[in-house]
Amino acid sequence: MSQPHLPPQPPVPPNPFAPPPPEPRPSAFKDFFTGVGFLLRGLGWTARHPAQWLFGLIPALIVLVVYAAALVFLGFEIDDLAGWTTGFADGWSDAARTSARVVAGIAIFGSALFLAVITFTAVTLLVGDPFYEAIAVRVEESEGGAPPEPDVPLLVQIGRAVKDTVILGAVALCFAVVFFACGFLPLVGQTVVPVVAGLVSGYFLAGELTSVALERRGIRRKERFALLRRNRPLVLGFGAATVVVFLIPFGAVLAMPGAVAGATLLARARLAGEPQVTAGAIGSAGSR
């Protein structure tokens, strides 16, 4: 028995209120190198705006002098500190005692350097907040417009910045103690641990550098790090590249304005989305 012939059904119109299909997320490998690219873009931006670069060097130079003095003092005292921390090896043979103290000295200075890298950005941003806020706004304007300044009293902003810096310093100190202890592990302490320490410090560096742009959007510390966790490979790529540049002599000072610019581009493009552009921002961007 033949089936009755049914007329063709009209196509179902698309639902205008349906959410758009999610875009496929890039691979972690690609995201990592995309993060590196944001740092390069930030350095390129400061190269095209030398006045902004020179402007951003001032607070970084001040903090560098203080940190360098502290590390030099630690270097002169490292033998005594290594001997104090390896008192358990006093009865060992000369070769074993010397080896233990060398490892201890490397671990102490490495932990101090890790702590310095982690906190340098936080302290520099705290000291130079007006400088880097101005650079971030110029970067945003060059990309189409900056979001309006948050309606938060200056003293409240300073209090939040100090609180965030103290919390970051406490977390960094905990990691430094862990990496110091792991530095005594044979082979692993001199190979794997420095790589892990670099990635951890890069993650927190990215959090501090992107705080300038994200705070302007009203995104506080907990929300900021939630965004970082959701974009971990991207953030690690940006942060690890920044750590490598900062470890170059004077790199932390010379690259700090570019790192702020790159973090602003990263926050705008991938972490917080495009900001709402105000008429004033458009006018300011068009007047340059």
Side-chain angles (χ1 to χ4, degrees):
M1 183 177 180
S2 62
Q3 297 293 330
H5 178 70
L6 297 177
Q9 297 295 321
V12 179
N15 183 1
F17 301 103
E23 296 183 1
R25 289 182 63 86
S27 66
F29 183 80
K30 182 178 179 181
D31 247 359
F32 184 90
F33 285 98
T34 300
V36 176
F38 275 108
L39 176 63
L40 298 177
R41 286 178 58 189
L43 295 174
W45 188 92
T46 52
R48 296 190 301 272
H49 300 80
Q52 296 296 312
W53 175 70
L54 291 172
F55 180 68
L57 291 183
I58 298 172
L61 282 170
I62 296 172
V63 177
L64 176 69
V65 170
V66 176
Y67 271 52
L71 288 173
V72 168
F73 176 78
L74 177 64
F76 281 113
E77 300 295 326
I78 197 69
D79 288 340
D80 293 338
L81 287 173
W84 177 73
T85 56
T86 56
F88 58 85
D90 288 343
W92 295 5
S93 65
D94 289 344
R97 184 172 60 250
T98 300
S99 298
R101 289 179 176 175
V102 168
V103 171
I106 294 174
I108 291 172
F109 196 84
S111 298
L113 187 61
F114 168 80
L115 191 62
V117 170
I118 285 285
T119 59
F120 177 85
T121 302
V123 174
T124 303
L125 290 175
L126 182 62
V127 172
D129 181 70
F131 295 82
Y132 299 122
E133 178 71 22
I135 291 175
V137 170
R138 288 296 302 274
V139 172
E140 299 248 35
E141 290 175 348
S142 68
E143 293 294 309
E149 186 175 354
D151 187 17
V152 179
L154 179 60
L155 290 179
V156 174
Q157 294 183 41
I158 294 175
R160 288 177 179 174
V162 171
K163 179 182 176 182
D164 288 351
T165 301
V166 171
I167 291 175
L168 178 69
V171 173
L173 182 60
C174 292
F175 275 107
V177 171
V178 172
F179 290 135
F180 169 74
C182 293
F184 287 97
L185 297 174
L187 187 62
V188 175
Q190 293 74 48
T191 55
V192 177
V193 172
V195 174
V196 175
L199 291 174
V200 171
S201 60
Y203 183 80
F204 284 105
L205 272 177
E208 285 302 306
L209 289 166
T210 54
S211 68
V212 179
L214 295 179
E215 281 277 358
R216 191 175 184 87
R217 290 164 167 80
I219 302 175
R220 302 287 302 280
R221 174 172 41 84
K222 290 183 179 179
E223 292 79 7
R224 290 202 307 269
F225 278 93
L227 289 171
L228 298 183
R229 286 193 298 271
R230 290 200 294 269
N231 297 272
R232 190 174 286 115
L234 177 75
V235 171
L236 284 175
F238 176 82
T242 305
V243 168
V244 171
V245 173
F246 278 17
L247 289 177
I248 299 171
F250 299 105
V253 174
L254 299 177
M256 187 66 180
V260 172
T264 302
L265 295 170
L266 171 62
R268 178 186 179 96
R270 292 291 300 273
L271 298 183
E274 289 294 322
Q276 181 180 359
V277 180
T278 62
I282 294 175
S284 176
S287 63
R288 290 192 322 279

PDB file of all heavy atoms in Angstrom, residues 26-50:
ATOM      1  N   PRO A  26      40.374  27.828  21.340  1.00  0.00           N
ATOM      2  CA  PRO A  26      41.647  27.409  20.767  1.00  0.00           C
ATOM      3  C   PRO A  26      42.335  26.408  21.685  1.00  0.00           C
ATOM      4  O   PRO A  26      42.045  26.328  22.880  1.00  0.00           O
ATOM      5  CB  PRO A  26      42.433  28.727  20.676  1.00  0.00           C
ATOM      6  CG  PRO A  26      41.786  29.639  21.661  1.00  0.00           C
ATOM      7  CD  PRO A  26      40.350  29.244  21.712  1.00  0.00           C
ATOM      8  N   SER A  27      43.257  25.658  21.130  1.00  0.00           N
ATOM      9  CA  SER A  27      43.987  24.679  21.924  1.00  0.00           C
ATOM     10  C   SER A  27      44.846  25.390  22.961  1.00  0.00           C
ATOM     11  O   SER A  27      45.179  26.572  22.825  1.00  0.00           O
ATOM     12  CB  SER A  27      44.874  23.826  21.021  1.00  0.00           C
ATOM     13  OG  SER A  27      45.905  24.620  20.449  1.00  0.00           O
ATOM     14  N   ALA A  28      45.192  24.646  24.026  1.00  0.00           N
ATOM     15  CA  ALA A  28      46.023  25.225  25.083  1.00  0.00           C
ATOM     16  C   ALA A  28      47.375  25.660  24.532  1.00  0.00           C
ATOM     17  O   ALA A  28      47.916  26.706  24.921  1.00  0.00           O
ATOM     18  CB  ALA A  28      46.198  24.209  26.209  1.00  0.00           C
ATOM     19  N   PHE A  29      47.919  24.869  23.614  1.00  0.00           N
ATOM     20  CA  PHE A  29      49.217  25.208  23.015  1.00  0.00           C
ATOM     21  C   PHE A  29      49.131  26.532  22.261  1.00  0.00           C
ATOM     22  O   PHE A  29      49.982  27.417  22.419  1.00  0.00           O
ATOM     23  CB  PHE A  29      49.648  24.079  22.079  1.00  0.00           C
ATOM     24  CG  PHE A  29      50.997  24.265  21.461  1.00  0.00           C
ATOM     25  CD1 PHE A  29      52.147  23.974  22.170  1.00  0.00           C
ATOM     26  CD2 PHE A  29      51.118  24.736  20.159  1.00  0.00           C
ATOM     27  CE1 PHE A  29      53.403  24.150  21.593  1.00  0.00           C
ATOM     28  CE2 PHE A  29      52.365  24.907  19.578  1.00  0.00           C
ATOM     29  CZ  PHE A  29      53.513  24.618  20.299  1.00  0.00           C
ATOM     30  N   LYS A  30      48.077  26.694  21.462  1.00  0.00           N
ATOM     31  CA  LYS A  30      47.905  27.924  20.699  1.00  0.00           C
ATOM     32  C   LYS A  30      47.640  29.101  21.627  1.00  0.00           C
ATOM     33  O   LYS A  30      48.163  30.200  21.423  1.00  0.00           O
ATOM     34  CB  LYS A  30      46.759  27.766  19.708  1.00  0.00           C
ATOM     35  CG  LYS A  30      46.529  28.991  18.833  1.00  0.00           C
ATOM     36  CD  LYS A  30      45.417  28.765  17.835  1.00  0.00           C
ATOM     37  CE  LYS A  30      45.188  30.010  16.972  1.00  0.00           C
ATOM     38  NZ  LYS A  30      44.073  29.804  16.003  1.00  0.00           N
ATOM     39  N   ASP A  31      46.834  28.870  22.673  1.00  0.00           N
ATOM     40  CA  ASP A  31      46.541  29.934  23.622  1.00  0.00           C
ATOM     41  C   ASP A  31      47.808  30.410  24.331  1.00  0.00           C
ATOM     42  O   ASP A  31      47.975  31.598  24.605  1.00  0.00           O
ATOM     43  CB  ASP A  31      45.522  29.454  24.659  1.00  0.00           C
ATOM     44  CG  ASP A  31      44.190  30.180  24.517  1.00  0.00           C
ATOM     45  OD1 ASP A  31      44.080  31.049  23.629  1.00  0.00           O
ATOM     46  OD2 ASP A  31      43.265  29.891  25.294  1.00  0.00           O
ATOM     47  N   PHE A  32      48.702  29.473  24.656  1.00  0.00           N
ATOM     48  CA  PHE A  32      49.944  29.835  25.339  1.00  0.00           C
ATOM     49  C   PHE A  32      50.737  30.840  24.500  1.00  0.00           C
ATOM     50  O   PHE A  32      51.180  31.881  25.005  1.00  0.00           O
ATOM     51  CB  PHE A  32      50.772  28.584  25.606  1.00  0.00           C
ATOM     52  CG  PHE A  32      52.029  28.828  26.388  1.00  0.00           C
ATOM     53  CD1 PHE A  32      52.020  28.772  27.769  1.00  0.00           C
ATOM     54  CD2 PHE A  32      53.224  29.120  25.743  1.00  0.00           C
ATOM     55  CE1 PHE A  32      53.187  29.007  28.502  1.00  0.00           C
ATOM     56  CE2 PHE A  32      54.390  29.353  26.454  1.00  0.00           C
ATOM     57  CZ  PHE A  32      54.365  29.293  27.841  1.00  0.00           C
ATOM     58  N   PHE A  33      50.904  30.544  23.223  1.00  0.00           N
ATOM     59  CA  PHE A  33      51.691  31.438  22.373  1.00  0.00           C
ATOM     60  C   PHE A  33      50.911  32.701  21.997  1.00  0.00           C
ATOM     61  O   PHE A  33      51.521  33.728  21.688  1.00  0.00           O
ATOM     62  CB  PHE A  33      52.179  30.685  21.138  1.00  0.00           C
ATOM     63  CG  PHE A  33      53.309  29.754  21.437  1.00  0.00           C
ATOM     64  CD1 PHE A  33      53.070  28.403  21.648  1.00  0.00           C
ATOM     65  CD2 PHE A  33      54.600  30.225  21.559  1.00  0.00           C
ATOM     66  CE1 PHE A  33      54.112  27.539  21.947  1.00  0.00           C
ATOM     67  CE2 PHE A  33      55.646  29.377  21.858  1.00  0.00           C
ATOM     68  CZ  PHE A  33      55.402  28.024  22.055  1.00  0.00           C
ATOM     69  N   THR A  34      49.585  32.625  22.063  1.00  0.00           N
ATOM     70  CA  THR A  34      48.808  33.859  21.908  1.00  0.00           C
ATOM     71  C   THR A  34      49.089  34.805  23.065  1.00  0.00           C
ATOM     72  O   THR A  34      49.201  36.021  22.882  1.00  0.00           O
ATOM     73  CB  THR A  34      47.302  33.532  21.846  1.00  0.00           C
ATOM     74  OG1 THR A  34      47.056  32.670  20.730  1.00  0.00           O
ATOM     75  CG2 THR A  34      46.479  34.802  21.690  1.00  0.00           C
ATOM     76  N   GLY A  35      49.225  34.238  24.266  1.00  0.00           N
ATOM     77  CA  GLY A  35      49.586  35.060  25.425  1.00  0.00           C
ATOM     78  C   GLY A  35      50.947  35.711  25.256  1.00  0.00           C
ATOM     79  O   GLY A  35      51.129  36.894  25.590  1.00  0.00           O
ATOM     80  N   VAL A  36      51.916  34.954  24.738  1.00  0.00           N
ATOM     81  CA  VAL A  36      53.230  35.533  24.446  1.00  0.00           C
ATOM     82  C   VAL A  36      53.084  36.694  23.461  1.00  0.00           C
ATOM     83  O   VAL A  36      53.725  37.746  23.600  1.00  0.00           O
ATOM     84  CB  VAL A  36      54.177  34.460  23.883  1.00  0.00           C
ATOM     85  CG1 VAL A  36      55.518  35.081  23.474  1.00  0.00           C
ATOM     86  CG2 VAL A  36      54.399  33.348  24.905  1.00  0.00           C
ATOM     87  N   GLY A  37      52.201  36.512  22.484  1.00  0.00           N
ATOM     88  CA  GLY A  37      51.998  37.555  21.483  1.00  0.00           C
ATOM     89  C   GLY A  37      51.447  38.840  22.069  1.00  0.00           C
ATOM     90  O   GLY A  37      51.774  39.934  21.586  1.00  0.00           O
ATOM     91  N   PHE A  38      50.627  38.742  23.113  1.00  0.00           N
ATOM     92  CA  PHE A  38      50.104  39.960  23.732  1.00  0.00           C
ATOM     93  C   PHE A  38      51.227  40.776  24.378  1.00  0.00           C
ATOM     94  O   PHE A  38      51.205  42.008  24.350  1.00  0.00           O
ATOM     95  CB  PHE A  38      49.037  39.616  24.770  1.00  0.00           C
ATOM     96  CG  PHE A  38      47.665  39.449  24.187  1.00  0.00           C
ATOM     97  CD1 PHE A  38      47.072  38.209  24.085  1.00  0.00           C
ATOM     98  CD2 PHE A  38      46.948  40.553  23.738  1.00  0.00           C
ATOM     99  CE1 PHE A  38      45.811  38.054  23.538  1.00  0.00           C
ATOM    100  CE2 PHE A  38      45.684  40.412  23.188  1.00  0.00           C
ATOM    101  CZ  PHE A  38      45.108  39.164  23.087  1.00  0.00           C
ATOM    102  N   LEU A  39      52.208  40.101  24.974  1.00  0.00           N
ATOM    103  CA  LEU A  39      53.348  40.845  25.515  1.00  0.00           C
ATOM    104  C   LEU A  39      54.107  41.539  24.388  1.00  0.00           C
ATOM    105  O   LEU A  39      54.487  42.717  24.522  1.00  0.00           O
ATOM    106  CB  LEU A  39      54.282  39.904  26.274  1.00  0.00           C
ATOM    107  CG  LEU A  39      55.567  40.568  26.792  1.00  0.00           C
ATOM    108  CD1 LEU A  39      55.254  41.661  27.802  1.00  0.00           C
ATOM    109  CD2 LEU A  39      56.516  39.532  27.390  1.00  0.00           C
ATOM    110  N   LEU A  40      54.328  40.852  23.275  1.00  0.00           N
ATOM    111  CA  LEU A  40      55.032  41.460  22.146  1.00  0.00           C
ATOM    112  C   LEU A  40      54.251  42.656  21.603  1.00  0.00           C
ATOM    113  O   LEU A  40      54.842  43.676  21.228  1.00  0.00           O
ATOM    114  CB  LEU A  40      55.263  40.424  21.049  1.00  0.00           C
ATOM    115  CG  LEU A  40      56.142  39.224  21.440  1.00  0.00           C
ATOM    116  CD1 LEU A  40      56.241  38.238  20.281  1.00  0.00           C
ATOM    117  CD2 LEU A  40      57.531  39.692  21.874  1.00  0.00           C
ATOM    118  N   ARG A  41      52.922  42.529  21.558  1.00  0.00           N
ATOM    119  CA  ARG A  41      52.097  43.655  21.101  1.00  0.00           C
ATOM    120  C   ARG A  41      52.229  44.845  22.043  1.00  0.00           C
ATOM    121  O   ARG A  41      52.293  46.004  21.598  1.00  0.00           O
ATOM    122  CB  ARG A  41      50.639  43.223  21.005  1.00  0.00           C
ATOM    123  CG  ARG A  41      50.320  42.319  19.831  1.00  0.00           C
ATOM    124  CD  ARG A  41      48.872  41.895  19.848  1.00  0.00           C
ATOM    125  NE  ARG A  41      47.966  43.045  19.810  1.00  0.00           N
ATOM    126  CZ  ARG A  41      46.660  42.970  19.978  1.00  0.00           C
ATOM    127  NH1 ARG A  41      46.094  41.771  20.200  1.00  0.00           N
ATOM    128  NH2 ARG A  41      45.905  44.054  19.920  1.00  0.00           N
ATOM    129  N   GLY A  42      52.283  44.574  23.346  1.00  0.00           N
ATOM    130  CA  GLY A  42      52.440  45.664  24.312  1.00  0.00           C
ATOM    131  C   GLY A  42      53.783  46.349  24.181  1.00  0.00           C
ATOM    132  O   GLY A  42      53.874  47.587  24.224  1.00  0.00           O
ATOM    133  N   LEU A  43      54.846  45.558  23.997  1.00  0.00           N
ATOM    134  CA  LEU A  43      56.172  46.149  23.796  1.00  0.00           C
ATOM    135  C   LEU A  43      56.206  46.955  22.505  1.00  0.00           C
ATOM    136  O   LEU A  43      56.836  48.025  22.441  1.00  0.00           O
ATOM    137  CB  LEU A  43      57.225  45.040  23.767  1.00  0.00           C
ATOM    138  CG  LEU A  43      57.419  44.256  25.070  1.00  0.00           C
ATOM    139  CD1 LEU A  43      58.378  43.097  24.859  1.00  0.00           C
ATOM    140  CD2 LEU A  43      57.922  45.170  26.186  1.00  0.00           C
ATOM    141  N   GLY A  44      55.526  46.454  21.477  1.00  0.00           N
ATOM    142  CA  GLY A  44      55.458  47.206  20.223  1.00  0.00           C
ATOM    143  C   GLY A  44      54.699  48.512  20.388  1.00  0.00           C
ATOM    144  O   GLY A  44      55.068  49.525  19.791  1.00  0.00           O
ATOM    145  N   TRP A  45      53.650  48.500  21.217  1.00  0.00           N
ATOM    146  CA  TRP A  45      52.878  49.729  21.443  1.00  0.00           C
ATOM    147  C   TRP A  45      53.755  50.795  22.098  1.00  0.00           C
ATOM    148  O   TRP A  45      53.736  51.964  21.688  1.00  0.00           O
ATOM    149  CB  TRP A  45      51.661  49.433  22.323  1.00  0.00           C
ATOM    150  CG  TRP A  45      50.713  50.589  22.446  1.00  0.00           C
ATOM    151  CD1 TRP A  45      49.631  50.855  21.662  1.00  0.00           C
ATOM    152  CD2 TRP A  45      50.782  51.653  23.400  1.00  0.00           C
ATOM    153  NE1 TRP A  45      49.015  52.011  22.072  1.00  0.00           N
ATOM    154  CE2 TRP A  45      49.698  52.530  23.140  1.00  0.00           C
ATOM    155  CE3 TRP A  45      51.639  51.960  24.455  1.00  0.00           C
ATOM    156  CZ2 TRP A  45      49.460  53.679  23.881  1.00  0.00           C
ATOM    157  CZ3 TRP A  45      51.420  53.102  25.199  1.00  0.00           C
ATOM    158  CH2 TRP A  45      50.338  53.943  24.913  1.00  0.00           C
ATOM    159  N   THR A  46      54.532  50.423  23.117  1.00  0.00           N
ATOM    160  CA  THR A  46      55.399  51.413  23.768  1.00  0.00           C
ATOM    161  C   THR A  46      56.512  51.868  22.835  1.00  0.00           C
ATOM    162  O   THR A  46      56.973  53.005  22.940  1.00  0.00           O
ATOM    163  CB  THR A  46      56.004  50.840  25.060  1.00  0.00           C
ATOM    164  OG1 THR A  46      56.635  49.578  24.789  1.00  0.00           O
ATOM    165  CG2 THR A  46      54.931  50.647  26.113  1.00  0.00           C
ATOM    166  N   ALA A  47      56.962  50.977  21.930  1.00  0.00           N
ATOM    167  CA  ALA A  47      57.982  51.400  20.961  1.00  0.00           C
ATOM    168  C   ALA A  47      57.431  52.477  20.033  1.00  0.00           C
ATOM    169  O   ALA A  47      58.174  53.370  19.594  1.00  0.00           O
ATOM    170  CB  ALA A  47      58.466  50.201  20.150  1.00  0.00           C
ATOM    171  N   ARG A  48      56.134  52.414  19.741  1.00  0.00           N
ATOM    172  CA  ARG A  48      55.507  53.432  18.886  1.00  0.00           C
ATOM    173  C   ARG A  48      55.106  54.676  19.678  1.00  0.00           C
ATOM    174  O   ARG A  48      54.762  55.694  19.079  1.00  0.00           O
ATOM    175  CB  ARG A  48      54.264  52.854  18.204  1.00  0.00           C
ATOM    176  CG  ARG A  48      54.569  51.721  17.239  1.00  0.00           C
ATOM    177  CD  ARG A  48      53.341  51.351  16.410  1.00  0.00           C
ATOM    178  NE  ARG A  48      52.213  50.942  17.249  1.00  0.00           N
ATOM    179  CZ  ARG A  48      52.000  49.701  17.671  1.00  0.00           C
ATOM    180  NH1 ARG A  48      52.860  48.738  17.346  1.00  0.00           N
ATOM    181  NH2 ARG A  48      50.948  49.407  18.405  1.00  0.00           N
ATOM    182  N   HIS A  49      55.153  54.602  21.005  1.00  0.00           N
ATOM    183  CA  HIS A  49      54.788  55.743  21.865  1.00  0.00           C
ATOM    184  C   HIS A  49      55.915  55.955  22.875  1.00  0.00           C
ATOM    185  O   HIS A  49      55.764  55.650  24.067  1.00  0.00           O
ATOM    186  CB  HIS A  49      53.464  55.486  22.591  1.00  0.00           C
ATOM    187  CG  HIS A  49      52.298  55.270  21.673  1.00  0.00           C
ATOM    188  ND1 HIS A  49      52.056  54.053  21.053  1.00  0.00           N
ATOM    189  CD2 HIS A  49      51.307  56.109  21.272  1.00  0.00           C
ATOM    190  CE1 HIS A  49      50.961  54.160  20.317  1.00  0.00           C
ATOM    191  NE2 HIS A  49      50.487  55.387  20.424  1.00  0.00           N
ATOM    192  N   PRO A  50      57.070  56.436  22.427  1.00  0.00           N
ATOM    193  CA  PRO A  50      58.233  56.541  23.329  1.00  0.00           C
ATOM    194  C   PRO A  50      57.998  57.450  24.524  1.00  0.00           C
ATOM    195  O   PRO A  50      58.570  57.214  25.591  1.00  0.00           O
ATOM    196  CB  PRO A  50      59.338  57.098  22.412  1.00  0.00           C
ATOM    197  CG  PRO A  50      58.624  57.695  21.240  1.00  0.00           C
ATOM    198  CD  PRO A  50      57.385  56.910  21.063  1.00  0.00           C
TER     199      PRO A  50
END
